[in-house]
Amino acid sequence: MQSWKIVSGREGAEEEVIGIGGELMAKGIVEERLENLQVAKVEAEKPEHHRHPYAFNVSGPRNVSSPNWRQIISSSWKDGNYRRTVIACFIQAVYLLELDRQENRTEETSLAPNWWKPFKYKVTQTLVDERDGSIFGAVFEWDRSAALSDFILMRPSGAPRAVLALRGTLLKSPTIRRDIEDDLRFLAWESLKGSVRFSTALEALKMAVDRYGSCNVCIAGHSLGAGFALQVGKTLAKQGVFVETHLFNPPSVSLAMSLRTIGEKAGFVWRRFKSMLPSSADAQTNCEVMPASGTKMCGKWVPHLYVNNSDYICCYYNEPQGTSDLRAKAVTASNKENANPSHDPVAAKLFVLSKGKQKFLEAHGLEQWWSDDLELQLTLHNSKLISSQLKSLYTNQPAPAPLGKVQ
């Protein structure tokens, strides 16, 4: 509060004005505190699900609004940042669909719907793991009725008709066992094809493609879900069907390769660990149809990978082509699914987030991908791991016979 010094006038006038200024300052402080108390009271009176840490209004993106006429004309979906943000929100919705199920939330108190409704989408299918009844994925489709209720007469240009989103590991007792089982399956065999989640996700994606066409469908996943999305998208790509794919913090095959090189004691643990999982034959169950020998594939499948340098689960995707270390040699020697050599160029878009040293949970979290201060670098070098993952797409092979029942 500003005060003025009076040069002339009765004695003590200066002190009187300063006193008035202090009074006004105190009044302003009181009013501010009363306002804060009122805000706190309003927040406290909100339903619990509106104050939950995972509520959309609490932890969701701040600068993303519902579609309007301006967005339809200019189409925010053509903006890579907007597209990445919305798709990441759909994956978060899948996590919350499972949490809502576990916590027996009702339609009125559920957290998940607010993560898709602002974007005028709806859930048309949930993917359930038959082993424990958990929800691990969902199909989101453009909700024409919800759009019309807001006088939106058409779908924004570039917005997909359907998005298949797959969650990662959820460290909650009802589902942790099956999630970890698939995590270990990937580490042991560099493949998730032995899981029922793979076949369920593949079937759901095929149905969406049959209904809307491959150009109108996306698949996306986070962590373990990104591993499934990568292999499901790759399976369709081998059939010549290219679906837009977004992979957040995808697991690195190189982690398994590294574990195989760390000594005799670790080797013993590794063998015990693998003996607890299905045989390699089961793990490599083939659910894909390879292009016939001599068939040329038109176009390329270009997945989008989002990795954080501080996340040791996915950071090896950022290793450039030509790195000569034990891990690189192990990839070449042990990656059964991609063992066929190819000199054809492979394609992927690798977006790297680097904020310096971060804690693992922060670096591996999904929330970072819709944060306001996100700065991504699209890497231009060739990634050794991406090349290893995708090179078999452009190598003609005869279709192998099925090896076993999906578990």
Side-chain angles (χ1 to χ4, degrees):
M1 175 69 64
Q2 192 174 16
S3 61
W4 295 268
K5 182 175 181 180
I6 299 177
V7 178
S8 60
R10 66 183 177 83
E11 190 178 69
E14 178 182 343
E15 289 77 7
E16 181 180 343
V17 173
I18 292 176
I20 294 173
E23 217 174 279
L24 292 175
M25 180 184 295
K27 184 179 179 182
I29 292 173
V30 170
E31 289 177 348
E32 182 179 354
R33 288 180 178 175
L34 287 173
E35 185 178 345
N36 290 339
L37 286 172
Q38 185 65 27
V39 171
K41 182 181 178 181
V42 171
E43 289 295 319
E45 290 175 350
K46 286 183 178 180
E48 182 273 338
H49 61 283
H50 285 291
R51 294 180 281 112
H52 195 284
Y54 296 145
F56 184 81
N57 61 293
V58 175
S59 58
R62 292 287 171 266
N63 297 321
V64 177
S65 58
S66 301
N68 53 43
W69 279 107
R70 180 178 296 179
Q71 289 181 347
I72 290 174
I73 296 172
S74 61
S75 186
S76 297
W77 276 95
K78 293 180 180 179
D79 180 349
N81 289 327
Y82 181 89
R83 198 176 193 88
R84 181 197 65 249
T85 294
V86 177
I87 291 175
C89 286
F90 289 164
I91 299 172
Q92 178 73 351
V94 178
Y95 278 104
L96 294 177
L97 280 170
E98 173 58 18
L99 284 178
D100 286 342
R101 183 191 73 87
Q102 291 181 16
E103 297 173 3
N104 298 315
R105 293 182 177 272
T106 64
E107 184 177 350
E108 291 76 21
T109 61
S110 57
L111 300 170
N114 287 332
W115 288 84
W116 67 72
K117 285 184 177 180
F119 311 111
K120 306 308 176 189
Y121 278 77
K122 61 183 177 181
V123 172
T124 57
Q125 181 185 356
T126 55
L127 277 57
V128 177
D129 190 325
E130 64 185 32
R131 297 170 297 181
D132 61 4
S134 63
I135 297 172
F136 69 91
V139 176
F140 300 87
E141 296 184 9
W142 175 254
D143 190 348
R144 187 168 179 269
S145 297
L148 287 175
S149 67
D150 283 348
F151 306 102
I152 299 172
L153 304 181
M154 64 184 73
R155 180 168 48 94
S157 175
R161 292 289 300 272
V163 178
L164 171 58
L166 305 170
R167 68 167 174 85
T169 303
L170 193 57
L171 300 178
K172 298 276 285 185
S173 55
T175 186
I176 186 173
R177 178 183 174 187
R178 296 306 183 186
D179 288 353
I180 294 295
E181 181 179 310
D182 283 331
D183 286 323
L184 300 184
R185 184 192 304 273
F186 186 83
L187 284 174
W189 305 114
E190 297 88 54
S191 176
L192 291 165
K193 294 178 182 176
S195 171
V196 294
R197 295 184 182 183
F198 174 84
S199 55
T200 303
L202 180 61
E203 184 62 27
L205 188 61
K206 284 182 175 179
M207 289 176 60
V209 169
D210 289 344
R211 184 174 182 182
Y212 296 119
S214 60
C215 295
N216 294 312
V217 177
C218 294
I219 183 172
H222 172 247
S223 190
L224 175 63
F228 278 110
L230 174 63
Q231 294 197 338
V232 169
K234 179 178 171 182
T235 297
L236 284 188
K238 287 183 176 181
Q239 301 175 29
V241 179
F242 304 107
V243 175
E244 182 181 332
T245 304
H246 296 265
L247 311 171
F248 299 87
N249 302 89
S252 303
V253 175
S254 297
L255 290 176
M257 301 302 103
S258 297
L259 290 175
R260 292 179 178 178
T261 63
I262 62 175
E264 184 177 353
K265 183 176 180 181
F268 170 74
V269 174
W270 183 256
R271 287 190 294 274
R272 286 287 302 275
F273 167 48
K274 286 175 66 175
S275 70
M276 298 168 61
L277 298 174
S279 67
S280 60
D282 289 337
Q284 294 298 324
T285 298
N286 190 289
C287 297
E288 59 195 61
V289 179
M290 301 290 294
S293 180
T295 301
K296 291 275 188 178
M297 292 182 62
C298 57
K300 284 186 180 294
W301 178 55
V302 185
H304 297 66
L305 288 80
Y306 306 93
V307 304
N308 187 315
N309 279 334
S310 296
D311 177 11
Y312 58 78
I313 286 182
C314 69
C315 64
Y316 293 130
Y317 274 105
N318 201 27
E319 287 189 350
Q321 189 77 276
T323 303
S324 57
D325 58 5
L326 292 176
R327 186 166 51 250
K329 294 177 182 177
V331 168
T332 302
S334 302
N335 193 341
K336 306 176 185 66
E337 187 178 350
N338 300 297
N340 299 297
S342 172
H343 299 292
D344 293 336
V346 295
K349 291 186 177 181
L350 180 65
F351 298 90
V352 179
L353 172 64
S354 181
K355 288 186 175 181
K357 191 174 182 180
Q358 291 178 281
K359 293 182 179 179
F360 167 71
L361 290 180
E362 181 183 1
H364 191 66
L366 182 60
E367 186 173 344
Q368 65 184 313
W369 301 112
W370 63 71
S371 64
D372 295 337
D373 60 345
L374 182 63
E375 292 185 5
L376 294 177
Q377 176 186 1
L378 176 60
T379 61
L380 300 179
H381 60 67
N382 293 323
S383 164
K384 176 177 289 293
L385 195 50
I386 291 175
S387 296
S388 175
Q389 288 279 10
L390 303 186
K391 66 184 178 183
S392 64
L393 287 177
Y394 310 106
T395 304
N396 294 324
Q397 306 175 28
L403 295 176
K405 183 181 178 181
V406 174
Q407 297 185 2

